Amino acid sequence: MNFNESDILQIQEKGLSTEEVNRQIEIFKRGNIKVDIQEAATIGNGISAISDEARTEYIRDFEHKKEGLDLLKFVPASGAATRMFKALHNFVAEFDPKEKELREYLDQKGDSSLQLFFTHIEKLPFYKDAVAAAKEDNSDFDELSNDEQKKLIAENVLYAKGLGLSDLPKGLVPFHKYDNVVVTAFEEHLYEAAKYAESKGVVKSHFTVGQSDKEKFEAEFDKVQSRVEEKTGSKFEITYSYQDPKTDTIAVDDENAPFRTEEGGMFFRPGGHGALIDNLNQQDADLIFVKNIDNVVTWSNLGDVVDYKKMLAGKLLELKAKAFGLIEKLQSSPSNEDVKEASTFLAEELFVKSLTGSESASELLEKLDRPLRICGMVKNEGEPGGGPFLVKDEEGEVSLQIIEGAQIDDDNPEQVKIVKESTHFNPVDIVCSVRKVDGTTYDLDKYVDPNMSFIANKTKDGKPLKALERPGLWNGAMAKWNTVFVEVPVTTFNPVKTVADLLKESHQPLND
């Protein structure tokens, strides 16, 4: 691809090179590469089921050791709340209470989440504030019909004249209300982190945010800091980062030429959550807990969440100690017994199988000396999300991977069959170890599988384009990590994908 001077300047301003942009364009020409799934990871075959007794031991071990560890909670929080309120936006645009009753509209739409929203609207944490805003903007509010009031309340939930919630990052949307205290998803993450990521009286949390939203998060922390620290008895160190412009990716047209804006410039888009591997790469801790911004619960429902996070951490500490011990043996003068022990550990505990059956000490060392993560997996009960599979790579090595639906070859009946046989899905409940034996950190960019990037169809200014998503944070960006899957209960997974999810039991505080 030949770029003009203006293109080259634009590429340089992004912190990119023409070689990198050309590499991305070649991916568009190549198309998506589907993964080669060998089996679904199931209990006993890639997923471990931890007994109650063992769970108690892992929790006890973690609690015993955590004061001597650097702990960090890492939360991707840059997502906007737009999708959360999509059905409500449609409602406001379509519903006219002068032409149709609300009940009739809801029956015609058949949207169960929207019906739930209006049936129990008074249970939402921001309901009273939305009503107050609607009354302030409409002096005749009390004389209006119930349906007219409902539409005005919805408008004041969404738009800037009221609460403006759909314009906020999801992390700053009110999720729960305790008596008269309204709490955002961001604040709930702090309470949760204090239960398992506290060490020496300090809780360290890192949030990836939109560049324009950082000040909003800082202002929110200033508002809640004294309340959170008083309730938890801990001090909080909060850091933020945002996606580096150099992780943006070029968009192309149907001919795989750079998509041009109306001003003639090339169009770059954020590279998806996979770009956050760069943000994670800047963190340095013994254990890093990774969890999505919308997956929180009320205080009374924290029990399982906290216990299983500690269990995952305890299990990771055990695996890390074994791996480090073997790495040190293989780095010196390993005996045949050391080599055999390393091979067995890789195969039986990390599910990294030998290709030849007789790998050398240096080959085993290369496989052991990698970032390590342990991922909670939930039984599949119809929730959307990627899943755990045993996948063969280009070199023929089979390893445990989290695979998203877009990576699966839907035209291959065998692959579809394996997916249908899967029993668990990925709730993004991850504990990571990113430090080497010598205490330095791994360069996480070296463990990304670039072939797991994904091409998606989007639009810009009403024109179609093709966008490139970088390998996802917990699939392609961690594809070459050592990975262990452990079953966790569905009570630990409580995402808020639509506003109606806030009406589920796990998001309703107890009256006491």
Side-chain angles (χ1 to χ4, degrees):
M1 175 74 199
N2 293 319
F3 300 104
N4 60 42
E5 287 187 18
S6 178
D7 292 341
I8 293 171
L9 181 61
Q10 187 179 0
I11 290 169
Q12 290 174 342
E13 287 175 346
K14 282 280 182 186
L16 294 166
S17 65
T18 55
E19 290 79 11
E20 169 60 17
V21 175
N22 272 319
R23 187 191 71 81
Q24 293 177 12
I25 292 173
E26 288 303 313
I27 293 175
F28 285 111
K29 293 177 180 177
R30 177 202 72 194
N32 288 328
I33 293 179
K34 301 299 184 181
V35 295
D36 186 3
I37 297 172
Q38 300 297 294
E39 296 178 85
T42 55
I43 297 295
N45 186 35
I47 302 177
S48 298
I50 307 296
S51 68
D52 291 344
E53 183 180 0
R55 183 175 78 248
T56 300
E57 284 298 315
Y58 284 131
I59 292 172
R60 185 182 295 122
D61 187 53
F62 170 68
E63 289 178 335
H64 176 69
K65 294 176 179 175
K66 74 182 184 73
E67 294 303 310
L69 298 172
D70 292 326
L71 304 176
L72 176 72
K73 187 174 187 182
F74 182 91
V75 184
S78 50
T82 311
R83 292 182 185 176
M84 179 177 169
F85 293 101
K86 182 179 179 181
L88 208 57
H89 275 288
N90 292 338
F91 164 77
V92 168
E94 297 170 355
F95 178 62
D96 185 347
K98 291 184 171 60
E99 295 183 0
K100 189 178 296 184
E101 289 187 0
L102 177 60
R103 183 186 302 174
E104 182 184 359
Y105 171 84
L106 294 175
D107 287 343
Q108 288 177 348
K109 291 296 289 185
D111 186 331
S112 59
S113 68
L114 202 59
Q115 290 184 351
L116 181 64
F117 176 86
F118 284 110
T119 302
H120 299 290
I121 189 171
E122 72 284 349
K123 292 184 177 180
L124 291 166
F126 42 78
Y127 172 71
K128 288 184 178 179
D129 290 336
V131 171
K135 287 183 175 181
E136 186 175 341
D137 197 47
N138 299 272
S139 57
D140 62 343
F141 181 87
D142 290 329
E143 283 74 53
L144 298 176
S145 70
N146 186 59
D147 288 0
E148 289 173 319
Q149 290 181 356
K150 291 281 177 58
K151 181 167 182 178
L152 285 174
I153 292 170
E155 289 176 350
N156 280 275
V157 166
L158 295 175
Y159 304 128
K161 68 175 183 177
L163 308 184
L165 299 188
S166 71
D167 293 328
L168 292 175
K170 189 183 279 190
L172 297 182
V173 172
F175 268 31
H176 305 140
K177 186 175 183 178
Y178 307 94
D179 296 325
N180 293 318
V181 178
V182 175
V183 175
T184 64
F186 168 75
E187 185 175 347
E188 290 290 22
H189 270 283
L190 302 183
Y191 290 122
E192 182 185 314
K195 295 286 189 179
Y196 55 75
E198 175 271 328
S199 180
K200 304 181 187 71
V202 177
V203 182
K204 298 179 181 179
S205 295
H206 183 88
F207 294 83
T208 66
V209 299
Q211 192 165 354
S212 61
D213 293 325
K214 182 183 176 184
E215 290 184 358
K216 298 174 187 175
F217 278 91
E218 290 175 330
E220 179 68 12
F221 181 62
D222 287 343
K223 186 174 78 173
V224 306
Q225 181 177 2
S226 60
R227 179 167 75 210
V228 174
E229 292 188 342
E230 182 179 348
K231 182 174 176 63
T232 63
S234 300
K235 296 294 182 183
F236 286 79
E237 293 182 7
I238 313 295
T239 55
Y240 306 91
S241 64
Y242 37 83
Q243 287 187 23
D244 194 313
K246 77 174 186 298
T247 66
D248 289 356
T249 55
I250 188 76
V252 299
D253 58 24
D254 288 339
E255 302 300 319
N256 296 320
F259 181 93
R260 300 284 175 176
T261 64
E262 293 178 350
E263 293 77 28
M266 295 186 297
F267 182 50
F268 290 84
R269 300 179 73 260
H273 67 67
L276 297 181
I277 197 68
D278 278 9
N279 303 64
L280 186 61
N281 208 14
Q282 301 307 312
Q283 311 309 313
D284 184 8
D286 290 304
L287 295 183
I288 302 176
F289 299 87
V290 180
K291 194 174 185 185
N292 278 341
I293 187 66
D294 64 354
N295 184 12
V296 292
V297 293
T298 59
W299 301 339
S300 59
N301 289 303
L302 272 172
D304 275 358
V305 172
V306 172
D307 279 354
Y308 280 89
K309 265 289 196 291
K310 290 179 177 179
M311 181 268 281
L312 293 177
K315 176 68 173 175
L316 184 65
L317 289 174
E318 177 187 74
L319 292 169
K320 180 180 177 181
K322 289 181 181 179
F324 277 15
L326 289 167
I327 288 169
E328 289 174 339
K329 288 179 180 179
L330 295 176
Q331 285 176 335
S332 53
S333 300
S335 64
N336 290 337
E337 191 62 33
D338 294 334
V339 171
K340 182 180 178 181
E341 184 184 359
S343 180
T344 301
F345 174 74
L346 280 162
E348 295 184 358
E349 300 203 47
L350 301 183
F351 260 78
V352 179
K353 305 297 176 71
S354 170
L355 292 178
T356 63
S358 58
E359 288 167 307
S360 67
S362 61
E363 289 171 325
L364 293 170
L365 178 60
E366 189 279 326
K367 290 182 179 182
L368 271 177
D369 195 11
R370 298 180 181 184
L372 176 63
R373 62 174 176 160
I374 187 163
C375 310
M377 289 292 156
V378 172
K379 284 183 180 177
N380 201 330
E381 297 179 351
E383 292 282 355
F389 294 92
L390 287 154
V391 178
K392 183 189 288 186
D393 65 16
E394 289 181 321
E395 284 76 43
E397 183 174 290
V398 176
S399 62
L400 293 172
Q401 300 288 338
I402 295 170
I403 299 299
E404 302 289 341
Q407 299 175 271
I408 295 164
D409 187 355
D410 293 331
D411 296 325
N412 185 323
E414 287 299 317
Q415 294 285 286
V416 173
K417 181 175 180 291
I418 294 172
V419 172
K420 287 182 177 179
E421 292 171 349
S422 65
T423 57
H424 290 69
F425 74 93
N426 167 44
V428 188
D429 192 358
I430 304 172
V431 188
C432 304
S433 171
V434 298
R435 283 182 177 168
K436 301 179 183 180
V437 171
D438 64 7
T440 61
T441 57
Y442 290 99
D443 179 359
L444 302 184
D445 287 334
K446 293 180 179 179
Y447 302 91
V448 176
D449 184 351
N451 287 331
M452 286 195 180
S453 55
F454 174 69
I455 299 166
N457 294 313
K458 305 286 184 179
T459 59
K460 166 71 173 172
D461 301 328
K463 296 185 290 186
L465 60 80
K466 291 192 286 187
L468 184 64
E469 301 274 345
R470 290 185 177 273
L473 181 58
W474 36 82
N475 39 43
M478 295 180 174
K480 297 179 182 178
W481 291 41
N482 283 329
T483 297
V484 172
F485 295 145
V486 172
E487 185 178 57
V488 295
V490 72
T491 51
T492 63
F493 181 62
N494 301 278
V496 177
K497 299 305 179 187
T498 73
V499 64
D501 287 334
L502 291 174
L503 296 167
K504 293 180 177 178
E505 184 179 348
S506 57
H507 294 288
Q508 290 295 306
L510 296 176
N511 291 328
D512 58 7

